[in-house]
């Protein structure tokens, strides 16, 4: 029991702690110990004096030993760093607001019930708060007096076997970024919901029609939380071009149209968030009010939602993440109402129905015999075929087609310094070898005459971006 009580004053226990405890016990026991040896009491002579032993009689007095241990091992208060009182008696701790006390207790790894540090062991205090009839297990100094104006959604924080409750107003920000969609009829500014828990990329049908984007009909069955399903018989699969706030364009593949996404409305005040949370300052994030996302990007376009950079504060504070579509802020925030998330997945009934139709088709009398199997075509081949069909034109007696790049937008690595060193090396060789210089000059003139190369104009130098092709 003494060792258990002694541990409450330490957040971490090691051999040094145990040695200090034993030292204090030895000091306390030595003050109440009576030592008697065979030489001081007139007992009968023994046959072998070498075997004579003394006796130590120790009388245990727990209150006295505990007082001496406390006097030796007095610890400073965590709140004010002074000795002589516990944290629940500290005026500096009491002067904090209730939220401030909660943050201090959490950062100091203290028990919310007894305000002591007893590690992962279960708290021996079983009483509840009791303030104004509060039946939660926390210290009265951590009780909030905001009453019924606070939404009572207790958040349970488990530490080993300890359970503490706090009345808080939960609120969430989701990963929503402003984007621009491009189509044959122009471009539309909207908001995209980045959801790495969804296996699909979806767009509302009305927005796809406004862009003038069309695709192939692909009926879809949606499955979300609670095994709720919804069938989109008129859904189409199409491709889109999306650009971020900095103007960079990206391709969205395998996008399915739906009648309505029903995503939550969200408001973000960046000025307010950056003042409240220091780690969010200096980010290129624009505020918006009551934004309703019309586009949901899932993991089938993962390269657009994967985090490239992250800024995070302490626990339960919002996190800022940079994606290829821009910065977004998500997580907890005390200034927004609670919202619910929707994760869309392709329902398995679509695959089952397709399999059923194939088996039924196989056993019909009209399908008896061999039937040719359609060749499998990879996504790369489909893309190459699309580029070939869209970019091939006839010029005179020949045809021209676009290069079948693997990606629509390519950024070349920085090579200016390397090119400059190679040019300087070539110039030194030309100075040493006049024949080489003459041959190179002749080759450049030949390229210019054939139209393969020309000197760049001022407009080309001003508007060109050597990193893009």
């Amino acid at each position: 029991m003494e060792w258990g009580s002694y541990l409450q004053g330490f957040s971490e226990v090691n051999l040094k702690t145990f040695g200090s405890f034993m030292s204090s016990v030895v000091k306390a026991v030595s003050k109440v110990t009576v030592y008697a040896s065979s030489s001081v009491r007139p007992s009968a002579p023994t046959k072998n004096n070498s075997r004579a032993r003394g006796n130590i009689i120790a009388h245990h007095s727990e209150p006295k030993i505990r007082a001496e241990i406390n006097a030796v091992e007095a610890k400073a208060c965590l709140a004010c760093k002074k000795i002589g009182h516990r944290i629940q008696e500290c005026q500096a701790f009491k002067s904090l607001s209730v939220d401030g006390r909660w943050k201090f207790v959490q950062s100091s790894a203290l028990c919310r019930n007894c305000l002591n540090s007893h590690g992962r062991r279960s708290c021996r205090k079983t009483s509840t708060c009791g303030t104004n009839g509060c039946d939660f297990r926390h210290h009265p100094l951590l009780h909030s007096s905001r009453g019924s104006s606070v939404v009572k959604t207790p958040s349970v924080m488990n530490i080993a076997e300890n359970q503490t409750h706090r009345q808080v107003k939960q609120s969430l920000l989701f990963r929503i970024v402003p984007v621009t969609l491009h189509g044959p009829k122009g471009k539309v500014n909207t908001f995209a919901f980045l959801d790495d828990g969804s296996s699909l990329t979806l767009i509302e049908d009305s927005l796809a029609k406004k862009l003038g984007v069309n695709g192939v009909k692909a009926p879809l069955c949606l499955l979300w939380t609670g095994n709720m399903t919804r069938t989109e018989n008129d859904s189409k699969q199409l491709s889109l071009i999306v650009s971020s706030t900095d103007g960079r364009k990206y391709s969205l593949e395998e996008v399915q149209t739906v009648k309505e996404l029903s995503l939550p409305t969200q408001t973000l005040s960046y000025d307010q968030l950056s003042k409240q949370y220091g780690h969010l300052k200096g980010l290129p994030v624009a505020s918006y009010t009551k934004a309703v996302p019309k586009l949901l990007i899932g993991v089938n376009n993962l390269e657009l939602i994967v985090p490239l950079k992250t800024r995070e504060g302490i626990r339960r504070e919002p996190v800022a993440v940079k994606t290829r579509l821009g910065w977004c802020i998500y997580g907890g925030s005390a200034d927004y109402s609670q919202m619910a998330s929707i994760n869309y997945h392709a329902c398995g009934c679509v695959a089952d129905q397709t399999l059923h139709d194939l088996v039924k088709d196989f056993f019909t009398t009209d399908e008896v015999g061999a039937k040719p199997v359609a060749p499998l075509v990879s996504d790369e081949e489909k893309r190459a075929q699309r580029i070939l069909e869209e970019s091939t034109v006839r010029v005179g007696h020949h045809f021209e087609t676009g290069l079948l790049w693997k990606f629509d937008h390519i950024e070349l690595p920085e090579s200016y310094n390397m090119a400059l060193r190679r040019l300087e090396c070539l110039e030194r060789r030309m100075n040493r070898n006049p024949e080489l210089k003459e041959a190179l000059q002749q080759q450049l003139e030949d390229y210019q005459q054939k139209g393969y190369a020309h000197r760049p104009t001022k407009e080309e130098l001003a508007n060109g971006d050597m990193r893009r092709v």
Side-chain angles (χ1 to χ4, degrees):
M1 293 295 294
E2 294 180 6
W3 171 242
S5 301
Y6 185 80
L7 290 179
Q8 295 184 8
F10 298 89
S11 59
E12 183 177 353
V13 179
N14 50 31
L15 288 177
K16 184 178 179 181
T17 309
F18 182 73
S20 177
F21 166 73
M22 292 302 300
S23 176
S24 62
V25 172
V26 170
K27 290 180 181 179
V29 171
S30 64
K31 295 184 178 181
V32 293
T33 299
V34 177
Y35 176 77
S37 65
S38 59
S39 59
V40 297
R41 55 181 183 174
S43 59
T46 59
K47 296 181 180 180
N48 189 359
N49 292 332
S50 61
R51 294 186 177 180
R53 299 180 180 178
N55 298 322
I56 297 178
I57 304 175
H59 300 274
H60 181 248
S61 177
E62 182 176 356
K64 185 175 181 180
I65 295 175
R66 184 71 260 164
E68 292 179 2
I69 293 176
N70 291 336
V72 175
E73 296 295 329
K75 298 297 180 181
C77 173
L78 294 177
C80 65
K81 308 302 180 183
K82 295 181 180 180
I83 299 176
H85 62 269
R86 297 178 298 176
I87 190 171
Q88 50 264 48
E89 302 166 352
C90 179
Q91 295 300 325
F93 179 76
K94 293 181 179 180
S95 63
L96 298 175
S97 62
V98 176
D99 291 337
R101 297 173 194 168
W102 273 101
K103 292 182 179 179
F104 181 86
V105 169
Q106 182 179 355
S107 61
S108 303
L110 301 179
C111 174
R112 279 73 167 171
N113 200 20
C114 63
L115 298 183
N116 293 319
S117 177
H118 46 70
R120 301 180 62 182
R121 295 182 299 106
S122 178
C123 184
R124 292 183 293 178
K125 182 180 178 182
T126 59
S127 60
T128 59
C129 172
T131 305
N132 295 331
C134 178
D135 56 353
F136 291 129
R137 289 191 61 191
H138 58 235
H139 197 275
L141 292 177
L142 302 179
H143 178 78
S144 175
S145 59
R146 285 174 284 187
S148 59
S149 61
V150 179
V151 179
K152 294 186 178 180
T153 56
S155 174
V156 181
M157 296 169 287
N158 294 322
I159 303 178
E161 299 178 359
N162 298 328
Q163 293 185 352
T164 56
H165 306 263
R166 182 187 180 191
Q167 296 177 346
V168 295
K169 182 177 181 180
Q170 287 287 359
S171 55
L172 296 174
L173 286 174
F174 294 100
R175 296 175 61 185
I176 295 178
V177 294
V179 296
T180 302
L181 297 177
H182 303 264
K185 292 185 178 180
K187 58 184 180 179
V188 176
N189 296 324
T190 185
F191 289 88
F193 192 104
L194 311 184
D195 189 3
D196 52 9
S198 175
S199 61
L200 301 172
T201 297
L202 305 174
I203 186 174
E204 291 192 358
D205 185 61
S206 58
L207 183 58
K209 292 180 180 179
K210 188 175 182 179
L211 291 168
V213 182
N214 201 358
V216 296
K217 188 174 181 179
L220 180 66
C221 183
L222 297 176
L223 171 69
W224 65 92
T225 308
N227 291 327
M228 300 293 293
T229 58
R230 187 178 80 201
T231 303
E232 295 281 345
N233 294 321
D234 298 329
S235 177
K236 295 181 179 180
Q237 189 176 93
L238 45 85
S239 298
L240 287 173
I241 299 296
V242 61
S243 62
S244 57
T245 54
D246 60 0
R248 294 192 177 186
K249 296 182 179 180
Y250 303 95
S251 178
L252 278 175
E253 303 294 340
E254 300 180 1
V255 183
Q256 294 278 160
T257 62
V258 293
K259 293 180 180 178
E260 187 177 5
L261 280 176
S262 301
L263 291 173
T265 302
Q266 179 166 293
T267 298
L268 186 143
S269 176
Y270 175 69
D271 294 337
Q272 183 177 353
L273 286 175
S274 59
K275 291 179 181 179
Q276 187 174 358
Y277 305 106
H279 65 282
L280 300 180
K281 292 182 179 179
L283 295 178
V285 178
S287 302
Y288 52 81
T289 303
K290 296 183 178 180
V292 181
K294 301 293 184 180
L295 173 68
L296 183 144
I297 304 178
V299 293
N300 60 337
N301 286 281
L302 184 61
E303 65 277 2
L304 296 184
I305 65 176
V306 63
L308 304 178
K309 294 182 180 179
T310 303
R311 284 194 185 181
E312 58 179 337
I314 62 176
R315 185 169 177 251
R316 295 186 179 181
E317 288 187 349
V319 177
V321 170
K322 180 183 180 182
T323 66
R324 287 183 170 85
L325 295 177
W327 284 89
C328 57
I329 299 175
Y330 70 105
S333 172
D335 304 316
Y336 301 93
S337 60
Q338 187 174 359
M339 299 183 295
S341 174
I342 301 176
N343 300 107
Y344 288 105
H345 302 273
C347 181
C349 63
V350 176
D352 294 341
Q353 183 64 34
T354 303
L355 180 62
H356 173 75
D357 294 339
L358 289 174
V359 175
K360 181 180 178 180
D361 184 58
F362 177 77
F363 283 103
T364 56
T365 57
D366 295 337
E367 298 297 329
V368 176
K371 187 175 181 180
V373 180
L376 297 178
V377 182
S378 65
D379 294 338
E380 290 78 10
E381 290 178 318
K382 291 180 182 179
R383 185 176 179 278
Q385 184 68 26
R386 177 174 58 83
I387 295 177
L388 187 65
E389 293 174 355
E390 294 178 355
S391 62
T392 302
V393 294
R394 182 168 181 171
V395 180
H397 298 287
H398 62 275
F399 291 88
E400 293 182 356
T401 187
L403 295 177
L404 305 181
W405 294 110
K406 187 175 182 180
F407 303 102
D408 289 333
H409 304 283
I410 299 176
E411 289 191 8
L412 298 177
E414 178 62 36
S415 61
Y416 176 81
N417 295 329
M418 182 184 67
L420 181 60
R421 289 195 299 269
R422 293 183 63 181
L423 176 61
E424 293 173 349
C425 179
L426 181 61
E427 288 178 346
R428 289 193 295 269
R429 290 180 58 194
M430 292 169 60
N431 293 333
R432 295 194 301 267
N433 190 349
E435 296 179 357
L436 174 63
K437 181 178 180 180
E438 183 178 356
L440 290 175
Q441 289 179 347
Q442 182 63 33
Q443 188 174 8
L444 289 175
E445 292 175 359
D446 187 31
Y447 283 166
Q448 293 180 6
Q449 291 177 0
K450 293 180 179 181
Y452 298 160
H454 68 276
R455 291 183 179 274
T457 63
K458 293 182 179 180
E459 294 181 356
E460 290 175 337
L461 293 175
N463 300 327
D465 187 354
M466 296 297 102
R467 298 175 301 173
R468 307 287 292 273
V469 296

